[in-house]
Amino acid sequence: MTEIFVVGNVNLDLIMGSQKPWPTVGTEVILPHLEWRPGGAAGNAALALKALDASFQLIAASGQDALGVWLQDSFKDIPGKIWSFDTNTALTVGIVHPDNERTFFSHLGHLEAFKLEHVLSCLETAKPGDVLLLLGVFVMPQLRARFLELLIEARRRSMVIVLDTGWATEGWVLCQDEANAWLPYCDHLLINEIEAFNWGAQIDFETSCAALQQKMPANAVLVVKQGSSGASWFQADSFGHCPAPKVEVVDTIGAGDTFNAGYLSKLVLGEPLETCVQTGIATASLAVSTFPRVYTVAEAQAQQTAQLELKD
């Protein structure tokens, strides 16, 4: 069975909202929604992959403070390894806006201690054809500094390399050359529309996607996640688009990460590209529209039944 190795940032997410307009400095704002949950790009993807019954391992890190203990306990049933460092645990505060967009405030904490050596030690069991899902590289500075080495090693092991960089923390103008050097190793690039436009740095979305695609291997796949509009994919000279269902959104934080999980859950089964994208959209749509968050139809039905029973 094909194994998915999920490498990236695990942290605590504190989600609050919704807020508009942005508050004036020195004031206080009362927000109606609060959720405290394990997150980070790799954490979100791992939780979704478990719900989807995929075969995977999570390779990540945590701090050793009280928050770190809670975070590690949240992933105790997730296969893989979470390295523990004597530092503060990484925390992201996500402020949700009425248009379902969000603003993040993050403290890197333990992510600053996560290194290439930690990842490589966990890839010793990887087989040719196994998937390496790489997430959140820009928020892990030591791993980022040697990220190209990781890609080269994964290629040497004949792994399928899937990359979702997340937002370039210094902006895409400064990070473009660095990120472009990663593209020749990517079999699948899964990014959102804003990232595609800014990374490709062309006059429009389509031209920016073409610029990215040209730097990737000949038959590589570029998938662009477009929120409520669905997702588009590009492979060689082919193009496709899948719409997203209309849902009542609770919060969109982690939507792209859960899309990645749904997409890969079908990719490892050899399903057609369109099916992979459709499953990614379906998984993300469920995640953003449920509270507590769920990832499958069966979970959603069970949640709905439980809520109805409570009302009775």
Side-chain angles (χ1 to χ4, degrees), residues 237-289:
D237 295 328
S238 65
F239 163 82
H241 176 82
C242 289
K246 291 184 178 180
V247 296
E248 186 174 339
V249 173
V250 176
D251 75 77
T252 60
I253 293 174
D257 311 322
T258 54
F259 174 98
N260 296 343
Y263 178 89
L264 289 180
S265 72
K266 295 300 182 182
L267 182 73
V268 296
L269 298 178
E271 296 286 350
L273 186 54
E274 183 174 9
T275 301
C276 298
V277 174
Q278 288 172 339
T279 305
I281 292 171
T283 306
S285 296
L286 270 174
V288 303
S289 60

Coordinates of all heavy atoms in Angstrom, one line a residue, residues 237-289:
D237 N -0.8 19.8 -21.5 CA -1.7 20.7 -22.2 C -3.2 20.6 -21.8 O -4.0 21.2 -22.4 CB -1.6 20.4 -23.7 CG -0.2 20.7 -24.3 OD1 0.4 21.6 -23.8 OD2 0.2 20.0 -25.2
S238 N -3.5 19.8 -20.8 CA -4.8 19.6 -20.3 C -5.2 20.6 -19.2 O -4.3 21.0 -18.4 CB -5.1 18.2 -19.9 OG -4.3 17.8 -18.8
F239 N -6.5 20.9 -19.1 CA -6.9 21.8 -18.0 C -8.3 21.3 -17.6 O -9.1 20.8 -18.4 CB -7.0 23.2 -18.6 CG -7.9 24.1 -17.7 CD1 -7.4 24.7 -16.6 CD2 -9.2 24.4 -18.0 CE1 -8.2 25.5 -15.8 CE2 -10.0 25.2 -17.2 CZ -9.5 25.8 -16.1
G240 N -8.6 21.4 -16.3 CA -9.9 21.1 -15.8 C -10.3 22.0 -14.6 O -9.5 22.6 -14.0
H241 N -11.6 22.0 -14.4 CA -12.1 22.8 -13.2 C -13.3 22.0 -12.6 O -14.1 21.5 -13.3 CB -12.6 24.2 -13.7 CG -13.2 25.0 -12.5 ND1 -12.4 25.6 -11.6 CD2 -14.4 25.2 -12.1 CE1 -13.2 26.2 -10.7 NE2 -14.4 25.9 -11.0
C242 N -13.3 22.0 -11.3 CA -14.4 21.4 -10.6 C -15.0 22.5 -9.6 O -14.3 23.1 -8.9 CB -14.0 20.2 -9.7 SG -13.5 18.8 -10.7
P243 N -16.3 22.7 -9.7 CA -16.9 23.7 -8.8 C -17.1 23.2 -7.4 O -17.0 21.9 -7.2 CB -18.3 23.9 -9.4 CG -18.6 22.6 -10.1 CD -17.3 22.1 -10.6
A244 N -17.3 24.0 -6.4 CA -17.5 23.6 -5.1 C -19.0 23.8 -4.7 O -19.7 24.6 -5.3 CB -16.7 24.5 -4.1
P245 N -19.5 22.9 -3.9 CA -20.9 23.0 -3.4 C -21.1 24.3 -2.6 O -20.1 24.7 -1.9 CB -21.1 21.7 -2.6 CG -19.8 21.4 -2.1 CD -18.8 21.8 -3.2
K246 N -22.3 24.8 -2.6 CA -22.6 25.9 -1.7 C -22.8 25.4 -0.3 O -23.6 24.5 -0.1 CB -23.8 26.6 -2.2 CG -23.6 27.4 -3.5 CD -24.8 28.2 -3.9 CE -24.6 29.0 -5.2 NZ -25.8 29.8 -5.6
V247 N -22.1 25.9 0.7 CA -22.2 25.4 2.1 C -22.3 26.7 3.0 O -21.8 27.8 2.6 CB -21.0 24.6 2.5 CG1 -21.0 23.3 1.7 CG2 -19.7 25.3 2.4
E248 N -22.8 26.5 4.2 CA -22.8 27.5 5.2 C -21.5 27.4 6.0 O -21.3 26.5 6.7 CB -24.0 27.4 6.1 CG -24.2 28.5 7.1 CD -25.4 28.4 7.9 OE1 -26.4 27.7 7.4 OE2 -25.5 29.1 9.0
V249 N -20.6 28.4 5.8 CA -19.3 28.4 6.3 C -19.2 28.7 7.8 O -19.8 29.7 8.2 CB -18.3 29.3 5.5 CG1 -17.0 29.4 6.1 CG2 -18.2 28.8 4.0
V250 N -18.5 27.9 8.5 CA -18.2 28.2 9.9 C -16.9 29.0 10.0 O -16.8 30.1 10.5 CB -18.1 26.9 10.8 CG1 -17.7 27.3 12.2 CG2 -19.4 26.2 10.8
D251 N -15.8 28.4 9.4 CA -14.6 29.1 9.2 C -13.8 28.3 8.1 O -13.9 27.1 8.0 CB -13.8 29.3 10.5 CG -13.0 28.1 11.0 OD1 -12.0 27.7 10.4 OD2 -13.5 27.5 11.9
T252 N -13.0 29.1 7.4 CA -12.2 28.5 6.2 C -10.8 28.1 6.6 O -10.1 27.7 5.7 CB -12.2 29.4 5.0 OG1 -11.6 30.7 5.4 CG2 -13.7 29.7 4.6
I253 N -10.4 28.3 7.8 CA -9.0 28.1 8.2 C -8.7 26.6 8.1 O -9.4 25.7 8.6 CB -8.8 28.6 9.6 CG1 -8.9 30.1 9.7 CG2 -7.4 28.1 10.1 CD1 -8.8 30.7 11.0
G254 N -7.7 26.3 7.3 CA -7.3 24.9 7.1 C -8.0 24.2 5.9 O -7.8 23.0 5.7
A255 N -8.8 25.0 5.2 CA -9.5 24.4 4.1 C -8.6 23.8 3.0 O -8.8 22.7 2.5 CB -10.4 25.5 3.4
G256 N -7.5 24.5 2.7 CA -6.6 24.0 1.7 C -5.8 22.8 2.2 O -5.5 21.9 1.4
D257 N -5.6 22.7 3.5 CA -4.9 21.5 4.0 C -5.8 20.3 4.0 O -5.3 19.2 3.6 CB -4.5 21.8 5.5 CG -3.8 23.1 5.7 OD1 -3.0 23.5 4.8 OD2 -4.0 23.8 6.7
T258 N -7.1 20.5 4.2 CA -8.0 19.3 4.2 C -8.3 19.0 2.7 O -8.5 17.8 2.4 CB -9.3 19.6 4.9 OG1 -9.9 20.9 4.4 CG2 -9.1 19.8 6.4
F259 N -8.2 20.0 1.8 CA -8.3 19.6 0.4 C -7.1 18.7 0.0 O -7.3 17.7 -0.7 CB -8.2 20.9 -0.5 CG -8.1 20.7 -2.0 CD1 -9.3 20.7 -2.7 CD2 -6.9 20.4 -2.6 CE1 -9.2 20.5 -4.1 CE2 -6.8 20.1 -3.9 CZ -8.0 20.2 -4.7
N260 N -5.9 19.1 0.5 CA -4.8 18.2 0.1 C -5.0 16.8 0.6 O -4.6 15.8 -0.1 CB -3.5 18.8 0.8 CG -3.2 20.2 0.4 OD1 -3.6 20.6 -0.7 ND2 -2.3 20.9 1.1
A261 N -5.6 16.6 1.8 CA -5.8 15.2 2.3 C -6.8 14.5 1.4 O -6.5 13.3 1.0 CB -6.3 15.3 3.7
G262 N -7.9 15.2 1.0 CA -8.8 14.5 0.2 C -8.3 14.1 -1.2 O -8.5 13.1 -1.7
Y263 N -7.5 15.1 -1.7 CA -6.9 14.9 -3.0 C -6.0 13.7 -3.0 O -6.0 12.8 -3.9 CB -6.1 16.1 -3.4 CG -5.3 16.1 -4.7 CD1 -5.9 16.5 -5.9 CD2 -4.0 15.7 -4.7 CE1 -5.2 16.5 -7.1 CE2 -3.3 15.7 -5.9 CZ -3.9 16.1 -7.1 OH -3.2 16.1 -8.2
L264 N -5.1 13.6 -2.0 CA -4.1 12.5 -1.9 C -4.8 11.2 -1.6 O -4.3 10.1 -2.0 CB -3.0 12.9 -0.9 CG -2.1 14.0 -1.3 CD1 -1.1 14.2 -0.2 CD2 -1.4 13.6 -2.6
S265 N -5.9 11.2 -0.8 CA -6.5 9.9 -0.5 C -7.0 9.2 -1.7 O -7.1 8.0 -1.7 CB -7.7 10.2 0.5 OG -8.8 10.8 -0.3
K266 N -7.3 9.9 -2.8 CA -7.6 9.3 -4.1 C -6.4 9.1 -5.0 O -6.4 8.1 -5.7 CB -8.7 10.1 -4.8 CG -10.0 10.2 -4.0 CD -10.6 8.8 -3.8 CE -12.0 8.9 -3.1 NZ -12.6 7.5 -2.9
L267 N -5.5 10.0 -4.9 CA -4.3 9.9 -5.8 C -3.6 8.6 -5.5 O -3.1 7.9 -6.4 CB -3.4 11.1 -5.5 CG -2.1 11.1 -6.4 CD1 -2.4 11.5 -7.8 CD2 -1.1 12.1 -5.8
V268 N -3.4 8.2 -4.2 CA -2.7 7.0 -3.9 C -3.4 5.7 -4.3 O -2.8 4.6 -4.4 CB -2.4 6.9 -2.4 CG1 -1.4 8.0 -2.0 CG2 -3.6 6.9 -1.5
L269 N -4.7 5.8 -4.6 CA -5.5 4.7 -5.1 C -5.5 4.6 -6.7 O -6.1 3.8 -7.2 CB -6.9 4.8 -4.6 CG -7.1 4.8 -3.1 CD1 -8.6 4.9 -2.8 CD2 -6.6 3.5 -2.5
G270 N -4.8 5.6 -7.3 CA -4.7 5.6 -8.7 C -6.0 6.1 -9.4 O -6.2 5.9 -10.6
E271 N -6.8 6.9 -8.7 CA -8.0 7.5 -9.3 C -7.7 8.6 -10.3 O -6.6 9.2 -10.2 CB -8.9 8.0 -8.2 CG -9.4 7.0 -7.2 CD -10.5 6.1 -7.8 OE1 -11.0 6.4 -8.9 OE2 -10.9 5.1 -7.2
P272 N -8.6 8.9 -11.2 CA -8.3 9.9 -12.2 C -8.2 11.3 -11.5 O -8.7 11.5 -10.4 CB -9.6 9.9 -13.0 CG -10.2 8.6 -12.9 CD -9.8 8.1 -11.5
L273 N -7.4 12.2 -12.1 CA -7.1 13.5 -11.6 C -8.4 14.2 -11.2 O -8.5 14.9 -10.1 CB -6.3 14.3 -12.6 CG -5.8 15.7 -12.1 CD1 -5.0 15.5 -10.8 CD2 -4.9 16.3 -13.2
E274 N -9.4 14.2 -12.0 CA -10.7 14.9 -11.7 C -11.3 14.3 -10.4 O -11.8 15.1 -9.6 CB -11.7 14.7 -12.9 CG -13.0 15.5 -12.6 CD -13.9 15.4 -13.8 OE1 -13.6 14.7 -14.8 OE2 -14.9 16.2 -13.8
T275 N -11.3 13.0 -10.2 CA -11.8 12.4 -9.0 C -11.0 12.9 -7.7 O -11.6 13.2 -6.7 CB -11.7 10.9 -9.0 OG1 -12.5 10.5 -10.2 CG2 -12.3 10.3 -7.8
C276 N -9.7 13.0 -7.9 CA -8.8 13.5 -6.8 C -9.2 14.9 -6.4 O -9.4 15.3 -5.2 CB -7.4 13.5 -7.2 SG -6.7 11.8 -7.6
V277 N -9.4 15.8 -7.4 CA -9.8 17.2 -7.2 C -11.2 17.3 -6.6 O -11.4 18.0 -5.6 CB -9.7 18.0 -8.5 CG1 -10.2 19.4 -8.2 CG2 -8.3 18.1 -9.0
Q278 N -12.1 16.5 -7.1 CA -13.5 16.5 -6.5 C -13.5 16.1 -5.1 O -14.2 16.6 -4.2 CB -14.4 15.6 -7.4 CG -14.7 16.1 -8.7 CD -15.4 15.1 -9.6 OE1 -15.4 13.9 -9.4 NE2 -16.1 15.6 -10.6
T279 N -12.7 15.0 -4.7 CA -12.6 14.6 -3.4 C -12.0 15.6 -2.4 O -12.4 15.8 -1.3 CB -11.9 13.2 -3.3 OG1 -12.5 12.3 -4.2 CG2 -11.9 12.7 -1.9
G280 N -11.0 16.3 -3.0 CA -10.4 17.4 -2.2 C -11.4 18.5 -1.9 O -11.5 19.0 -0.7
I281 N -12.2 18.8 -2.9 CA -13.2 19.9 -2.7 C -14.3 19.4 -1.7 O -14.7 20.2 -0.8 CB -13.8 20.2 -4.0 CG1 -12.8 21.0 -4.9 CG2 -15.1 21.1 -3.8 CD1 -13.3 21.2 -6.3
A282 N -14.7 18.2 -1.8 CA -15.7 17.6 -0.9 C -15.2 17.6 0.5 O -16.0 18.0 1.5 CB -16.2 16.3 -1.4
T283 N -14.0 17.2 0.7 CA -13.4 17.1 2.1 C -13.3 18.5 2.7 O -13.7 18.7 3.9 CB -12.0 16.4 2.0 OG1 -12.1 15.2 1.4 CG2 -11.5 16.2 3.4
A284 N -12.8 19.5 1.9 CA -12.7 20.8 2.4 C -14.0 21.4 2.7 O -14.2 22.2 3.7 CB -11.9 21.7 1.4
S285 N -15.0 21.2 1.9 CA -16.3 21.8 2.0 C -17.0 21.3 3.3 O -17.6 22.1 4.0 CB -17.2 21.4 0.8 OG -16.7 22.0 -0.4
L286 N -16.8 20.0 3.6 CA -17.3 19.5 4.9 C -16.6 20.1 6.1 O -17.2 20.5 7.1 CB -17.2 18.0 4.9 CG -18.3 17.1 4.4 CD1 -17.9 15.7 4.4 CD2 -19.6 17.3 5.2
A287 N -15.3 20.2 6.0 CA -14.5 20.7 7.1 C -14.9 22.2 7.4 O -15.0 22.5 8.6 CB -13.0 20.7 6.7
V288 N -15.1 23.0 6.4 CA -15.3 24.4 6.7 C -16.7 24.7 7.1 O -17.0 25.8 7.6 CB -15.0 25.3 5.5 CG1 -13.5 25.1 5.1 CG2 -15.9 25.1 4.3
S289 N -17.6 23.7 7.0 CA -19.0 24.0 7.3 C -19.6 23.2 8.5 O -20.8 23.2 8.7 CB -19.9 23.6 6.0 OG -19.7 22.2 5.7

